[in-house]
């Protein structure tokens, strides 16, 4: 499928913003939704809206099939061993908090270590910070290389026999760098620690195989991969999920309820308290079908091409500082940058007047910003629907931005 | 929207305050010290004020942020100096109305700050402009 065909499935892209055709370069924040996903949601609400796992009526059965069918799709999408290992959550943040509470509270003790890195998103920092505080454990950070990558040697030097949890992002939402998760998993396991992966920025853009990565937990969000907001996934190895306690208690997740004691449903439902995000899961299933039809390898290749093109083009702009590895093969399709003399928010405002949407700010990665010695950056992030022409438009607008600001003085 | 519309936002006077900020720094003998940030974007301001007998004797700011937030801080420290606290607070309320595009009380001259009127047309940037003022209000309320 070529990009033109792919774009035809995204109704939102065909509009003007501030008098210019929309150039949406903020997919790392949230992706746009293909018509297949929008229609799946519409169909659910129009034709078989019903609660799941309860009703014996026809709509209830259809809704349950849709919801549980989406779980099977997720299982195959990330190559999990069993469907029991797929827990639906609200998103990456909830997934990581579930591990910190459900696993961390049981197995981390005073004096233990939790290892993360300087490039982590806040959602992969704060749950561990809080866990460390609750337990009197130590939170340790793996340093970064000059080009914004993590080396296996640095992980080796940070992880010790006291480390209980290693939690690293698969792909950086700021630097775009792809981390060597398989090797890091091996180090974690060699020291008796578990490996948690924040997959928010990898699952939409590349083939993920949790068995190959040998991670213990893998968290990701639907909305960054074409699905609705409010649905996410926690993958966990079955043996670990079995041992964990639920973190939310109430309807749906129970087996028998007594006056003083209750028991929980089996996996994965013991982690899905309350009425689940039914439409969201069905939408996620539709998004997975859509992505798989195009092929994750094709999406990854397309993004590498865009990243390489953007890096090349943007470097021609004087005063442009680009963060992360300059080798496009070491990164996914996003470019984070600053421009001399022009603050990132001002860059984003000027681009917006040209119909170009980028992100500016700290990208929920304040420790990384501090590490990079910047308070804020701008980020253009690409997805399967972006084109080289759009990168040309970005480059032209950035040049105009630079001129505009030098003229004002 | 073309680049021309940007001129409403980035007036010459704003860029001048951004490039050549007035009252940049920190007061050694400040009676009020306030740190505030805009958690969504990372802009931060460190404001020190010297208030004696209900009058702002001096004010300085330090920080890191976009042209709008830093220019607003520069203009604010300039205009509140020598003013009674009540007047400074009143100015803050007027400025806030102006930023939200509401009708505002024009009985007090806001000087250079009038140049920030264009921000009202860029809703995403209103918080940038009001950050220093929110810091000032916080300092006064907590004192």
């Amino acid at each position: 499928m070529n990009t033109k065909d792919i774009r035809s499935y995204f109704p939102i892209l065909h509009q003007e913003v501030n008098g210019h055709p929309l150039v949406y370069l903020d997919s790392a924040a949230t992706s746009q939704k293909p018509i297949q996903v929008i229609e799946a949601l519409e169909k659910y609400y129009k034709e078989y809206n019903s609660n799941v796992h309860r009703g014996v009526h026809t709509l209830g059965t259809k809704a349950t099939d849709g919801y549980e069918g989406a779980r099977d799709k997720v299982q195959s999408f990330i190559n999990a061993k069993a469907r029991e290992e797929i827990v639906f959550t609200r998103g990456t943040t909830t997934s990581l908090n579930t591990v910190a509470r459900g696993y961390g509270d049981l197995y981390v003790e005073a004096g233990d270590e939790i290892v993360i890195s300087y490039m982590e998103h806040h959602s992969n920092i704060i749950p561990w910070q809080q866990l460390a505080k609750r337990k009197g454990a130590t939170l340790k950070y793996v340093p970064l290389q000059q080009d914004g990558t993590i080396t296996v040697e640095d992980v080796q030097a940070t992880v010790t026999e006291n480390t209980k949890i290693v939690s690293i992002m698969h792909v950086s939402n700021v630097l775009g760098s792809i981390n060597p998760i398989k090797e890091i998993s091996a180090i974690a396991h060699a020291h008796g620690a578990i490996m948690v992966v924040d997959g928010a920025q990898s699952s939409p853009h590349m083939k993920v195989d949790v068995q190959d990565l040998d991670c213990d937990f893998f968290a990701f969000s639907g909305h960054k991969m074409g699905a609705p907001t409010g649905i996410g996934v926690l993958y966990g190895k079955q043996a670990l999920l079995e041992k964990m306690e639920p973190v939310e208690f109430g309807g749906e997740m129970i087996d028998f309820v007594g006056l003083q004691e209750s028991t929980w449903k089996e996996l994965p439902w013991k982690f899905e308290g309350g009425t689940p995000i039914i439409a969201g899961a069905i939408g996620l299933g539709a998004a997975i079908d859509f992505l798989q039809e195009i092929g994750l390898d094709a999406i990854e290749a397309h993004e590498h091409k865009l990243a390489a093109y953007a890096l090349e083009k943007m470097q021609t702009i004087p005063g442009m500082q680009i963060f992360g590895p300059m080798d496009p093969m070491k990164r996914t399709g996003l470019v984070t940058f600053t421009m001399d003399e022009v603050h990132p928010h001002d860059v984003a405002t000027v681009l917006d007047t040209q119909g170009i949407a980028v992100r500016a700010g700290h990208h929920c990665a304040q420790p990384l910003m501090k590490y990079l010695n910047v308070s804020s950056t701008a980020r253009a992030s690409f997805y399967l629907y972006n084109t080289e022409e759009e990168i040309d438009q970005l480059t032209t607008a950035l040049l105009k931005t630079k001129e505009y600001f030098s003229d004002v003085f | 929207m073309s680049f021309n519309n940007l001129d409403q936002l980035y007036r010459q006077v704003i860029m001048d305050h951004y490039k050549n900020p007035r009252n940049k720094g920190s007061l050694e003998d400040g009676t009020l010290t306030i740190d505030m940030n805009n958690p969504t974007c990372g802009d931060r301001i460190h404001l020190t004020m010297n208030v004696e007998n209900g009058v702002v004797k001096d004010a300085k700011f330090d920080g890191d942020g976009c042209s709008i937030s830093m220019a607003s801080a520069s203009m604010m420290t300039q205009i509140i100096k020598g003013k009674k606290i009540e007047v400074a607070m009143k100015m803050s309320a007027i400025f806030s109305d102006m930023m939200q595009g509401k009708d505002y009380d024009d009985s007090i001259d806001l000087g250079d700050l009038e140049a920030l009127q264009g921000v009202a047309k860029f809703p995403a940037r209103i918080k940038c402009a009001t950050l220093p003022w929110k810091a000032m209000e916080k300092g006064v309320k907590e004192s």
Side-chain angles (χ1 to χ4, degrees), chain A residues 98-122:
Chain A
T98 301
V99 181
R101 279 279 180 192
Y103 182 88
D105 280 4
L106 276 182
Y107 296 105
V108 173
E109 292 166 6
D112 286 345
E113 294 168 355
I114 303 157
V115 171
I116 61 172
S117 85
Y118 274 102
M119 69 166 76
E120 301 310 317
H121 185 279
H122 293 165

PDB file of all heavy atoms in Angstrom, chain A residues 98-122:
ATOM      1  N   THR A  98       0.433  -0.555  37.448  1.00  0.00           N
ATOM      2  CA  THR A  98      -0.052  -1.869  37.874  1.00  0.00           C
ATOM      3  C   THR A  98       1.128  -2.768  38.248  1.00  0.00           C
ATOM      4  O   THR A  98       1.078  -3.495  39.240  1.00  0.00           O
ATOM      5  CB  THR A  98      -0.890  -2.514  36.743  1.00  0.00           C
ATOM      6  OG1 THR A  98      -1.977  -1.637  36.445  1.00  0.00           O
ATOM      7  CG2 THR A  98      -1.435  -3.861  37.148  1.00  0.00           C
ATOM      8  N   VAL A  99       2.218  -2.683  37.477  1.00  0.00           N
ATOM      9  CA  VAL A  99       3.391  -3.501  37.798  1.00  0.00           C
ATOM     10  C   VAL A  99       4.034  -2.996  39.097  1.00  0.00           C
ATOM     11  O   VAL A  99       4.391  -3.791  39.975  1.00  0.00           O
ATOM     12  CB  VAL A  99       4.429  -3.479  36.651  1.00  0.00           C
ATOM     13  CG1 VAL A  99       5.626  -4.363  37.001  1.00  0.00           C
ATOM     14  CG2 VAL A  99       3.807  -3.947  35.347  1.00  0.00           C
ATOM     15  N   ALA A 100       4.150  -1.663  39.205  1.00  0.00           N
ATOM     16  CA  ALA A 100       4.798  -1.102  40.400  1.00  0.00           C
ATOM     17  C   ALA A 100       4.027  -1.480  41.663  1.00  0.00           C
ATOM     18  O   ALA A 100       4.604  -1.837  42.688  1.00  0.00           O
ATOM     19  CB  ALA A 100       4.916   0.413  40.262  1.00  0.00           C
ATOM     20  N   ARG A 101       2.697  -1.430  41.575  1.00  0.00           N
ATOM     21  CA  ARG A 101       1.863  -1.768  42.734  1.00  0.00           C
ATOM     22  C   ARG A 101       1.741  -3.285  42.909  1.00  0.00           C
ATOM     23  O   ARG A 101       1.984  -3.825  43.979  1.00  0.00           O
ATOM     24  CB  ARG A 101       0.456  -1.191  42.551  1.00  0.00           C
ATOM     25  CG  ARG A 101       0.350   0.272  42.910  1.00  0.00           C
ATOM     26  CD  ARG A 101       0.221   0.408  44.409  1.00  0.00           C
ATOM     27  NE  ARG A 101       0.110   1.816  44.797  1.00  0.00           N
ATOM     28  CZ  ARG A 101       0.226   2.233  46.051  1.00  0.00           C
ATOM     29  NH1 ARG A 101       0.443   1.372  47.029  1.00  0.00           N
ATOM     30  NH2 ARG A 101       0.130   3.500  46.331  1.00  0.00           N
ATOM     31  N   GLY A 102       1.330  -3.938  41.836  1.00  0.00           N
ATOM     32  CA  GLY A 102       0.976  -5.356  41.927  1.00  0.00           C
ATOM     33  C   GLY A 102       2.185  -6.260  42.109  1.00  0.00           C
ATOM     34  O   GLY A 102       2.122  -7.267  42.810  1.00  0.00           O
ATOM     35  N   TYR A 103       3.308  -5.898  41.481  1.00  0.00           N
ATOM     36  CA  TYR A 103       4.520  -6.713  41.629  1.00  0.00           C
ATOM     37  C   TYR A 103       5.460  -6.073  42.654  1.00  0.00           C
ATOM     38  O   TYR A 103       5.911  -6.720  43.596  1.00  0.00           O
ATOM     39  CB  TYR A 103       5.242  -6.853  40.286  1.00  0.00           C
ATOM     40  CG  TYR A 103       6.469  -7.735  40.375  1.00  0.00           C
ATOM     41  CD1 TYR A 103       6.374  -9.102  40.207  1.00  0.00           C
ATOM     42  CD2 TYR A 103       7.722  -7.185  40.675  1.00  0.00           C
ATOM     43  CE1 TYR A 103       7.495  -9.914  40.336  1.00  0.00           C
ATOM     44  CE2 TYR A 103       8.841  -7.994  40.803  1.00  0.00           C
ATOM     45  CZ  TYR A 103       8.722  -9.357  40.627  1.00  0.00           C
ATOM     46  OH  TYR A 103       9.828 -10.163  40.766  1.00  0.00           O
ATOM     47  N   GLY A 104       5.708  -4.764  42.453  1.00  0.00           N
ATOM     48  CA  GLY A 104       6.674  -4.058  43.291  1.00  0.00           C
ATOM     49  C   GLY A 104       6.343  -4.126  44.783  1.00  0.00           C
ATOM     50  O   GLY A 104       7.210  -4.393  45.609  1.00  0.00           O
ATOM     51  N   ASP A 105       5.078  -3.896  45.101  1.00  0.00           N
ATOM     52  CA  ASP A 105       4.702  -3.883  46.517  1.00  0.00           C
ATOM     53  C   ASP A 105       4.919  -5.246  47.167  1.00  0.00           C
ATOM     54  O   ASP A 105       5.180  -5.334  48.364  1.00  0.00           O
ATOM     55  CB  ASP A 105       3.245  -3.442  46.684  1.00  0.00           C
ATOM     56  CG  ASP A 105       3.107  -1.920  46.602  1.00  0.00           C
ATOM     57  OD1 ASP A 105       4.133  -1.253  46.341  1.00  0.00           O
ATOM     58  OD2 ASP A 105       1.993  -1.398  46.790  1.00  0.00           O
ATOM     59  N   LEU A 106       4.837  -6.309  46.356  1.00  0.00           N
ATOM     60  CA  LEU A 106       5.021  -7.658  46.919  1.00  0.00           C
ATOM     61  C   LEU A 106       6.494  -8.052  47.036  1.00  0.00           C
ATOM     62  O   LEU A 106       6.894  -8.720  47.976  1.00  0.00           O
ATOM     63  CB  LEU A 106       4.325  -8.687  46.027  1.00  0.00           C
ATOM     64  CG  LEU A 106       2.835  -8.934  46.221  1.00  0.00           C
ATOM     65  CD1 LEU A 106       2.384 -10.025  45.259  1.00  0.00           C
ATOM     66  CD2 LEU A 106       2.531  -9.357  47.653  1.00  0.00           C
ATOM     67  N   TYR A 107       7.295  -7.614  46.044  1.00  0.00           N
ATOM     68  CA  TYR A 107       8.648  -8.191  45.955  1.00  0.00           C
ATOM     69  C   TYR A 107       9.809  -7.234  46.202  1.00  0.00           C
ATOM     70  O   TYR A 107      10.949  -7.674  46.268  1.00  0.00           O
ATOM     71  CB  TYR A 107       8.821  -8.871  44.593  1.00  0.00           C
ATOM     72  CG  TYR A 107       7.887 -10.051  44.427  1.00  0.00           C
ATOM     73  CD1 TYR A 107       6.757  -9.957  43.611  1.00  0.00           C
ATOM     74  CD2 TYR A 107       8.104 -11.230  45.129  1.00  0.00           C
ATOM     75  CE1 TYR A 107       5.882 -11.028  43.486  1.00  0.00           C
ATOM     76  CE2 TYR A 107       7.236 -12.298  45.007  1.00  0.00           C
ATOM     77  CZ  TYR A 107       6.123 -12.190  44.189  1.00  0.00           C
ATOM     78  OH  TYR A 107       5.258 -13.241  44.069  1.00  0.00           O
ATOM     79  N   VAL A 108       9.538  -5.939  46.300  1.00  0.00           N
ATOM     80  CA  VAL A 108      10.642  -5.000  46.546  1.00  0.00           C
ATOM     81  C   VAL A 108      10.702  -4.677  48.033  1.00  0.00           C
ATOM     82  O   VAL A 108       9.682  -4.417  48.664  1.00  0.00           O
ATOM     83  CB  VAL A 108      10.478  -3.717  45.696  1.00  0.00           C
ATOM     84  CG1 VAL A 108      11.520  -2.672  46.067  1.00  0.00           C
ATOM     85  CG2 VAL A 108      10.572  -4.050  44.214  1.00  0.00           C
ATOM     86  N   GLU A 109      11.933  -4.705  48.554  1.00  0.00           N
ATOM     87  CA  GLU A 109      12.106  -4.444  49.991  1.00  0.00           C
ATOM     88  C   GLU A 109      13.127  -3.335  50.201  1.00  0.00           C
ATOM     89  O   GLU A 109      13.838  -2.955  49.265  1.00  0.00           O
ATOM     90  CB  GLU A 109      12.616  -5.721  50.683  1.00  0.00           C
ATOM     91  CG  GLU A 109      11.591  -6.825  50.700  1.00  0.00           C
ATOM     92  CD  GLU A 109      12.192  -8.178  51.076  1.00  0.00           C
ATOM     93  OE1 GLU A 109      13.401  -8.229  51.428  1.00  0.00           O
ATOM     94  OE2 GLU A 109      11.452  -9.159  50.994  1.00  0.00           O
ATOM     95  N   ALA A 110      13.208  -2.865  51.447  1.00  0.00           N
ATOM     96  CA  ALA A 110      14.181  -1.824  51.789  1.00  0.00           C
ATOM     97  C   ALA A 110      15.576  -2.271  51.378  1.00  0.00           C
ATOM     98  O   ALA A 110      15.951  -3.436  51.592  1.00  0.00           O
ATOM     99  CB  ALA A 110      14.134  -1.544  53.285  1.00  0.00           C
ATOM    100  N   GLY A 111      16.335  -1.372  50.776  1.00  0.00           N
ATOM    101  CA  GLY A 111      17.701  -1.706  50.370  1.00  0.00           C
ATOM    102  C   GLY A 111      17.798  -2.252  48.955  1.00  0.00           C
ATOM    103  O   GLY A 111      18.880  -2.319  48.382  1.00  0.00           O
ATOM    104  N   ASP A 112      16.658  -2.638  48.372  1.00  0.00           N
ATOM    105  CA  ASP A 112      16.678  -3.130  46.987  1.00  0.00           C
ATOM    106  C   ASP A 112      16.867  -1.959  46.016  1.00  0.00           C
ATOM    107  O   ASP A 112      16.712  -0.797  46.397  1.00  0.00           O
ATOM    108  CB  ASP A 112      15.350  -3.831  46.650  1.00  0.00           C
ATOM    109  CG  ASP A 112      15.241  -5.197  47.304  1.00  0.00           C
ATOM    110  OD1 ASP A 112      16.284  -5.710  47.768  1.00  0.00           O
ATOM    111  OD2 ASP A 112      14.125  -5.737  47.355  1.00  0.00           O
ATOM    112  N   GLU A 113      17.175  -2.300  44.790  1.00  0.00           N
ATOM    113  CA  GLU A 113      17.361  -1.272  43.767  1.00  0.00           C
ATOM    114  C   GLU A 113      16.384  -1.452  42.613  1.00  0.00           C
ATOM    115  O   GLU A 113      16.054  -2.567  42.234  1.00  0.00           O
ATOM    116  CB  GLU A 113      18.782  -1.363  43.188  1.00  0.00           C
ATOM    117  CG  GLU A 113      19.855  -1.019  44.170  1.00  0.00           C
ATOM    118  CD  GLU A 113      21.245  -1.395  43.652  1.00  0.00           C
ATOM    119  OE1 GLU A 113      21.337  -2.010  42.556  1.00  0.00           O
ATOM    120  OE2 GLU A 113      22.215  -1.081  44.345  1.00  0.00           O
ATOM    121  N   ILE A 114      15.977  -0.311  42.087  1.00  0.00           N
ATOM    122  CA  ILE A 114      15.163  -0.299  40.863  1.00  0.00           C
ATOM    123  C   ILE A 114      15.986   0.503  39.858  1.00  0.00           C
ATOM    124  O   ILE A 114      16.457   1.598  40.181  1.00  0.00           O
ATOM    125  CB  ILE A 114      13.807   0.388  41.109  1.00  0.00           C
ATOM    126  CG1 ILE A 114      13.042  -0.311  42.250  1.00  0.00           C
ATOM    127  CG2 ILE A 114      12.978   0.435  39.832  1.00  0.00           C
ATOM    128  CD1 ILE A 114      12.008   0.557  42.916  1.00  0.00           C
ATOM    129  N   VAL A 115      16.180  -0.046  38.678  1.00  0.00           N
ATOM    130  CA  VAL A 115      17.031   0.624  37.686  1.00  0.00           C
ATOM    131  C   VAL A 115      16.190   1.115  36.505  1.00  0.00           C
ATOM    132  O   VAL A 115      15.459   0.337  35.893  1.00  0.00           O
ATOM    133  CB  VAL A 115      18.147  -0.334  37.198  1.00  0.00           C
ATOM    134  CG1 VAL A 115      18.896   0.255  36.013  1.00  0.00           C
ATOM    135  CG2 VAL A 115      19.127  -0.635  38.338  1.00  0.00           C
ATOM    136  N   ILE A 116      16.310   2.414  36.234  1.00  0.00           N
ATOM    137  CA  ILE A 116      15.675   2.993  35.039  1.00  0.00           C
ATOM    138  C   ILE A 116      16.760   3.786  34.293  1.00  0.00           C
ATOM    139  O   ILE A 116      17.938   3.613  34.584  1.00  0.00           O
ATOM    140  CB  ILE A 116      14.437   3.862  35.388  1.00  0.00           C
ATOM    141  CG1 ILE A 116      14.805   5.046  36.276  1.00  0.00           C
ATOM    142  CG2 ILE A 116      13.369   3.027  36.070  1.00  0.00           C
ATOM    143  CD1 ILE A 116      13.666   6.034  36.501  1.00  0.00           C
ATOM    144  N   SER A 117      16.378   4.650  33.345  1.00  0.00           N
ATOM    145  CA  SER A 117      17.417   5.420  32.651  1.00  0.00           C
ATOM    146  C   SER A 117      17.044   6.902  32.613  1.00  0.00           C
ATOM    147  O   SER A 117      15.907   7.263  32.902  1.00  0.00           O
ATOM    148  CB  SER A 117      17.603   4.909  31.224  1.00  0.00           C
ATOM    149  OG  SER A 117      16.668   5.529  30.369  1.00  0.00           O
ATOM    150  N   TYR A 118      18.022   7.708  32.219  1.00  0.00           N
ATOM    151  CA  TYR A 118      17.796   9.152  32.130  1.00  0.00           C
ATOM    152  C   TYR A 118      16.832   9.532  31.030  1.00  0.00           C
ATOM    153  O   TYR A 118      16.350  10.646  30.985  1.00  0.00           O
ATOM    154  CB  TYR A 118      19.122   9.886  31.913  1.00  0.00           C
ATOM    155  CG  TYR A 118      19.843  10.192  33.196  1.00  0.00           C
ATOM    156  CD1 TYR A 118      20.924   9.427  33.607  1.00  0.00           C
ATOM    157  CD2 TYR A 118      19.417  11.237  34.006  1.00  0.00           C
ATOM    158  CE1 TYR A 118      21.580   9.694  34.792  1.00  0.00           C
ATOM    159  CE2 TYR A 118      20.057  11.517  35.200  1.00  0.00           C
ATOM    160  CZ  TYR A 118      21.145  10.743  35.584  1.00  0.00           C
ATOM    161  OH  TYR A 118      21.774  11.010  36.762  1.00  0.00           O
ATOM    162  N   MET A 119      16.598   8.623  30.087  1.00  0.00           N
ATOM    163  CA  MET A 119      15.737   9.025  28.966  1.00  0.00           C
ATOM    164  C   MET A 119      14.268   8.717  29.205  1.00  0.00           C
ATOM    165  O   MET A 119      13.438   8.995  28.367  1.00  0.00           O
ATOM    166  CB  MET A 119      16.216   8.395  27.647  1.00  0.00           C
ATOM    167  CG  MET A 119      16.039   6.918  27.545  1.00  0.00           C
ATOM    168  SD  MET A 119      16.245   6.345  25.825  1.00  0.00           S
ATOM    169  CE  MET A 119      18.015   6.395  25.599  1.00  0.00           C
ATOM    170  N   GLU A 120      13.939   8.165  30.392  1.00  0.00           N
ATOM    171  CA  GLU A 120      12.560   7.703  30.590  1.00  0.00           C
ATOM    172  C   GLU A 120      11.524   8.817  30.569  1.00  0.00           C
ATOM    173  O   GLU A 120      11.769   9.943  30.996  1.00  0.00           O
ATOM    174  CB  GLU A 120      12.439   6.923  31.913  1.00  0.00           C
ATOM    175  CG  GLU A 120      13.330   5.705  32.018  1.00  0.00           C
ATOM    176  CD  GLU A 120      13.251   4.779  30.822  1.00  0.00           C
ATOM    177  OE1 GLU A 120      12.138   4.522  30.334  1.00  0.00           O
ATOM    178  OE2 GLU A 120      14.321   4.320  30.354  1.00  0.00           O
ATOM    179  N   HIS A 121      10.350   8.441  30.109  1.00  0.00           N
ATOM    180  CA  HIS A 121       9.154   9.281  30.165  1.00  0.00           C
ATOM    181  C   HIS A 121       8.686   9.301  31.630  1.00  0.00           C
ATOM    182  O   HIS A 121       8.917   8.340  32.360  1.00  0.00           O
ATOM    183  CB  HIS A 121       8.103   8.611  29.276  1.00  0.00           C
ATOM    184  CG  HIS A 121       6.839   9.364  29.090  1.00  0.00           C
ATOM    185  ND1 HIS A 121       5.819   9.352  30.014  1.00  0.00           N
ATOM    186  CD2 HIS A 121       6.412  10.150  28.079  1.00  0.00           C
ATOM    187  CE1 HIS A 121       4.822  10.097  29.559  1.00  0.00           C
ATOM    188  NE2 HIS A 121       5.157  10.595  28.384  1.00  0.00           N
ATOM    189  N   HIS A 122       8.008  10.357  32.031  1.00  0.00           N
ATOM    190  CA  HIS A 122       7.553  10.436  33.433  1.00  0.00           C
ATOM    191  C   HIS A 122       6.767   9.198  33.875  1.00  0.00           C
ATOM    192  O   HIS A 122       6.835   8.804  35.038  1.00  0.00           O
ATOM    193  CB  HIS A 122       6.681  11.676  33.641  1.00  0.00           C
ATOM    194  CG  HIS A 122       7.452  12.957  33.486  1.00  0.00           C
ATOM    195  ND1 HIS A 122       6.858  14.180  33.332  1.00  0.00           N
ATOM    196  CD2 HIS A 122       8.787  13.197  33.456  1.00  0.00           C
ATOM    197  CE1 HIS A 122       7.789  15.110  33.198  1.00  0.00           C
ATOM    198  NE2 HIS A 122       8.968  14.548  33.270  1.00  0.00           N
TER     199      HIS A 122
END
